[in-house]
Amino acid sequence: MSSSEKRAEAGVVVPEFGTRGKAWLGVLVLAIVVGFGAWGYQLSQGLAVTGMNNVFSWGLYIMLFVLFIGLSAGGLIISSAPKFFHSDRYATLAPLGILLSLACIVVAGLLILPDLGRPSRVIGFLTSPDFRSPMVWDFGIVLVYGLFSAGYLWLLTRRDLAKMGSRLAFGTEDTEEGRKKDRKLAFWAAAVAIPLAIALHSVTGWIFATQIGRGDWFNPLVAPMFIMKALVSGLALLVVTAILVDRFTRFRLPQKLVPELGKVLGVFVAIHVVYLVAAERLPHAWASEFEFWAITSAFLVGDSIHFWLWTVVGGAVPIVLLAVPSLRRKLWVVFVASVLAIVGILFEGVYLLFTGYQDLNIDAAPGVTSGTDYVGVGSDVWVTAGYYTPTLVELLVTIGIVALGALIVTLGLRFVPIQPGGGEAVRVSRTEQQTTDTDASVATDGGRDTPGGGPR
């Protein structure tokens, strides 16, 4: 019996995308097409069409690579920790967290390609890897991590896929014995996922931390800070996404979990922005200054707008919002705090790159060549400080790749039973489905037919 026949016999209905859902898909597909078109233009013209140069050899692609690696690693850790400790309290969010982790690692992996200039250079990682380079280890662990995330998501959802009669079950049968077996396998998968996610972002941090020639990066705390910001951004993204899909799809977010998740997020942000920043900056301030106010000023006062967007907008404000119990019980407060936390982590990445590249090791004239030319003159521009602004090409390529990640999440929410028991959630009678269809046709766009679950 085919999967479609099984679904028909069981009365299982996989809802289709509604009007707004199709519009959302159209926007994503358009962004992907434009993005890959911009990438094609970059391939034909070279990296000269980007804002990168001889001074800023890493730009928007690597900034967002670091962000999405953290989002992916944090999401997997947050989703796996309860399973490792045999807690079902957050079981509702685990598959969603792993779906987000999978989408983010795909985005992060693809962001490497346009940064390399020529995608064929990836072959070098496979044919002639230099294991002394952290980049080789990062490439390898990103590949392994992506495959593992896909398998982990399938493990958590395959019984519900079988209940739905989905081909994605790949022959798996939905039995009580099978579900007990999967619970044991989920524990071992979590035992692998947590150290794998830690290794993923630690290796990314070590790429920066091992750059001896750049004093702002050459720091043993870089990797621990990367792990902490992964926990902050991963949990924040999970909270934001869960609130949105609860609003627009069939997914249900238990409201009692929102204050708890907000409390955990507040603790993560405080450890990251207060303690680890102090651990990193205070020794430098103490070594260079010998007066109390001079030390305090060097420690507390940032030297760029990126620093303030990170520590105040993405740090102090979320901490204040989440520290007050009465505020933390409000859904919109946790949502706003989570968004600000992600914004803060984004600008921490901007701050990290600018501190490494903006101040050159050679600050005397004429400095170093930027690798760019004056228009109509043809002579190299020599600079004593680094400057970088992303170009339209970089922005379009990045938006296209991020849209691909959003498409993965959208299709996952539609066709994979992300919520435990999802196979049962779509088991309705034909009469009920006809009633739903009638209501939807009357309401037109009034129902919640956005991507990820269709009208409730």
Side-chain angles (χ1 to χ4, degrees):
M1 183 181 295
S2 65
S3 58
S4 59
E5 291 173 337
K6 290 180 180 179
R7 288 195 297 268
E9 182 179 347
V12 174
V13 176
V14 178
E16 297 181 355
F17 284 100
T19 303
R20 285 180 289 178
K22 291 176 181 177
W24 170 245
L25 287 177
V27 170
L28 293 180
V29 171
L30 177 62
I32 293 170
V33 171
V34 172
F36 278 85
W39 187 8
Y41 176 74
Q42 178 184 306
L43 289 174
S44 66
Q45 301 298 315
L47 289 173
V49 299
T50 71
M52 294 182 284
N53 50 52
N54 190 43
V55 180
F56 262 87
S57 55
W58 286 346
L60 181 64
Y61 299 142
I62 296 301
M63 289 179 193
L64 293 185
F65 167 77
V66 172
L67 173 67
F68 278 92
I69 285 286
L71 290 170
S72 182
L76 194 64
I77 293 172
I78 296 299
S79 302
S80 300
K83 291 191 173 296
F84 181 75
F85 291 104
H86 302 286
S87 173
D88 294 330
R89 189 167 185 79
Y90 301 102
T92 303
L93 298 174
L96 177 61
I98 297 170
L99 174 63
L100 291 172
S101 178
L102 175 61
C104 288
I105 198 63
V106 170
V107 171
L110 289 177
L111 283 169
I112 296 176
L113 300 181
D115 183 74
L116 290 175
R118 295 196 306 270
S120 58
R121 291 177 175 173
V122 173
I123 299 175
F125 286 109
L126 302 173
T127 58
S128 56
D130 183 354
F131 293 104
R132 296 171 299 176
S133 170
M135 287 294 293
V136 171
W137 290 98
D138 203 40
F139 174 81
I141 199 169
V142 165
L143 185 61
V144 171
Y145 181 95
L147 295 174
F148 176 83
S149 298
Y152 193 8
L153 178 61
W154 180 75
L155 172 65
L156 295 185
T157 59
R158 63 177 180 172
R159 301 296 170 180
D160 286 329
L161 287 168
K163 182 187 294 185
M164 293 171 56
S166 171
R167 295 178 181 177
L168 296 176
F170 298 115
T172 301
E173 296 182 358
D174 179 30
T175 63
E176 186 58 35
E177 182 179 353
R179 288 184 177 269
K180 291 180 180 179
K181 178 182 177 181
D182 281 1
R183 282 192 285 271
K184 294 180 180 179
L185 290 175
F187 164 79
W188 291 108
V192 174
I194 295 173
L196 183 62
I198 293 174
L200 173 72
H201 216 31
S202 293
V203 172
T204 306
W206 288 329
I207 291 176
F208 290 86
T210 54
Q211 304 302 309
I212 301 175
R214 302 191 182 277
D216 291 304
W217 294 351
F218 190 55
N219 188 329
L221 287 179
V222 173
M225 290 189 72
F226 269 44
I227 295 301
M228 204 63 232
K229 72 180 184 179
L231 293 175
V232 171
S233 60
L235 177 56
L237 179 64
L238 179 58
V239 170
V240 168
T241 306
I243 291 174
L244 289 177
V245 297
D246 176 79
R247 171 65 179 83
F248 293 114
T249 77
R250 296 172 183 271
F251 182 89
R252 293 293 188 272
L253 171 63
Q255 297 302 302
K256 64 180 180 180
L257 296 182
V258 175
E260 297 179 16
L261 294 172
K263 183 188 298 184
V264 175
L265 178 62
V267 172
F268 284 170
V269 174
I271 293 174
H272 177 57
V273 175
V274 179
Y275 175 72
L276 286 178
V277 170
E280 180 186 37
R281 294 173 66 91
L282 183 58
H284 293 286
W286 193 280
S288 60
E289 305 289 350
F290 295 97
E291 296 180 1
F292 175 78
W293 290 114
I295 293 173
T296 305
S297 176
F299 166 53
L300 293 177
V301 178
D303 51 5
S304 69
I305 185 63
H306 314 123
F307 178 84
W308 296 116
L309 288 172
W310 164 33
T311 56
V312 176
V313 176
V317 175
I319 290 173
V320 171
L321 291 176
L322 298 174
V324 181
S326 59
L327 290 177
R328 197 169 58 240
R329 287 192 289 269
K330 299 180 183 297
L331 188 70
W332 70 268
V333 171
V334 178
F335 182 86
V336 170
S338 299
V339 171
L340 292 178
I342 296 173
V343 171
I345 296 299
L346 170 62
F347 280 98
E348 181 191 0
V350 176
Y351 177 76
L352 180 70
L353 256 70
F354 272 81
T355 54
Y357 283 129
Q358 196 166 22
D359 297 328
L360 302 181
N361 293 331
I362 303 175
D363 57 0
V368 299
T369 175
S370 67
T372 57
D373 298 333
Y374 285 116
V375 177
V377 177
S379 60
D380 287 337
V381 179
W382 290 78
V383 295
T384 56
Y387 300 95
Y388 170 75
T389 302
T391 65
L392 179 61
V393 172
E394 289 175 277
L395 292 172
L396 292 178
V397 171
T398 299
I399 291 172
I401 294 176
V402 174
L404 180 59
L407 182 62
I408 292 174
V409 174
T410 301
L411 296 179
L413 288 169
R414 175 66 66 178
F415 297 109
V416 179
I418 293 301
Q419 193 146 27
E424 194 67 34
V426 296
R427 191 180 293 270
V428 296
S429 67
R430 296 183 182 278
T431 302
E432 291 171 327
Q433 179 62 19
Q434 290 172 358
T435 302
T436 302
D437 292 341
T438 302
D439 293 343
S441 64
V442 172
T444 312
D445 288 338
R448 293 180 178 179
D449 59 349
T450 49
R456 296 199 201 223

